[in-house]
Amino acid sequence: MKKWQATILVCTSLVCLSACKNQTTSEADKQNEDKQAQVSSQTAKKGEAVADFELRGVDGKIYRLSDYKGKKIYLKFWASWCSICLASLPDTDELAKEASDDYVILTVVSPAQKGEQAEESFKKWYQGLDYKNLPVLLDSSGNLLESYGVRSYPTQVFIDKEGKLVKTQPGFMDKETILQTLKSID
């Protein structure tokens, strides 16, 4: 084969490969967009019913959101590396101890998600903290984080007695404000 024929063959091959790559990239981009739209469409919205979940706690029990129908629910998403979260755990433990027939306090940690340690390491670490009243649910898949749109820790979620999302609040929230918010929910 002559040099000019080889050059044309190489150039033609490169053009074809480039076109295939652009097609593949476009398809991948479309799939990513579809996936992001799917996640955002699954994110809990204020005033709408939230999806039920079933998570195992560090205590070994299974917790289902549907088990608390008829009660107001305070969900606290936190991480072991978050200093604000750790500083507020004693208050959250007190809130859980004082919970009444009107509301329940649950906390959620997502092992191996967003910088959190692996599940077994977290459990071992948590056992040394000695909180007696605080239910800590393990969201190892990160699905619950996604469904509530949690982007930072701590994040508080308030759910009414009918299972509808009332409020999502990222950042620190003191005990009195949490109680006031729970009392304000119908």
Side-chain angles (χ1 to χ4, degrees), residues 48-60:
E48 293 183 5
V50 296
D52 194 13
F53 63 75
E54 181 177 299
L55 297 174
R56 184 170 304 280
V58 294
D59 58 6

Side-chain angles (χ1 to χ4, degrees), residues 61-110:
K61 293 180 187 175
I62 297 293
Y63 292 83
R64 291 174 195 83
L65 187 65
S66 56
D67 291 343
Y68 303 105
K69 189 120 178 146
K71 288 187 176 194
K72 302 170 196 177
I73 300 166
Y74 169 69
L75 275 178
K76 178 179 185 166
F77 291 88
W78 65 281
S80 64
W81 52 261
C82 169
S83 59
I84 296 170
C85 301
L86 297 179
S88 64
L89 281 181
D91 282 349
T92 310
D93 189 54
E94 272 186 51
L95 283 169
K97 183 179 181 178
E98 297 167 0
S100 65
D101 290 337
D102 192 41
Y103 67 88
V104 66
I105 307 295
L106 301 171
T107 70
V108 180
V109 172
S110 297

Side-chain angles (χ1 to χ4, degrees), residues 17 33 43 46 50 52 67 74 76 79 92-93 107 115 128 130 133 144 166-167:
L17 286 174
E33 287 172 10
T43 302
K46 186 176 177 180
V50 296
D52 194 13
D67 291 343
Y74 169 69
K76 178 179 185 166
T92 310
D93 189 54
T107 70
D130 198 38
N133 309 295
L144 202 59
V166 174
K167 181 179 184 175

Side-chain angles (χ1 to χ4, degrees), residues 69-174:
K69 189 120 178 146
K71 288 187 176 194
K72 302 170 196 177
I73 300 166
Y74 169 69
L75 275 178
K76 178 179 185 166
F77 291 88
W78 65 281
S80 64
W81 52 261
C82 169
S83 59
I84 296 170
C85 301
L86 297 179
S88 64
L89 281 181
D91 282 349
T92 310
D93 189 54
E94 272 186 51
L95 283 169
K97 183 179 181 178
E98 297 167 0
S100 65
D101 290 337
D102 192 41
Y103 67 88
V104 66
I105 307 295
L106 301 171
T107 70
V108 180
V109 172
S110 297
Q113 306 290 325
K114 297 189 183 275
E116 183 56 72
Q117 55 192 316
E119 186 172 325
E120 290 308 312
S121 299
F122 175 82
K123 285 180 183 178
K124 186 177 179 181
W125 171 84
Y126 183 75
Q127 286 173 349
L129 297 183
D130 198 38
Y131 290 110
K132 305 266 189 258
N133 309 295
L134 193 60
V136 179
L137 288 56
L138 300 170
D139 174 32
S140 298
S141 68
N143 290 339
L144 202 59
L145 282 177
E146 283 185 33
S147 70
Y148 287 99
V150 175
R151 296 178 184 220
S152 62
Y153 295 115
T155 293
Q156 286 74 216
V157 173
F158 295 88
I159 301 167
D160 71 13
K161 292 180 178 187
E162 295 175 8
K164 293 180 182 175
L165 179 65
V166 174
K167 181 179 184 175
T168 301
Q169 169 92 32
F172 174 76
M173 192 177 245
D174 64 39

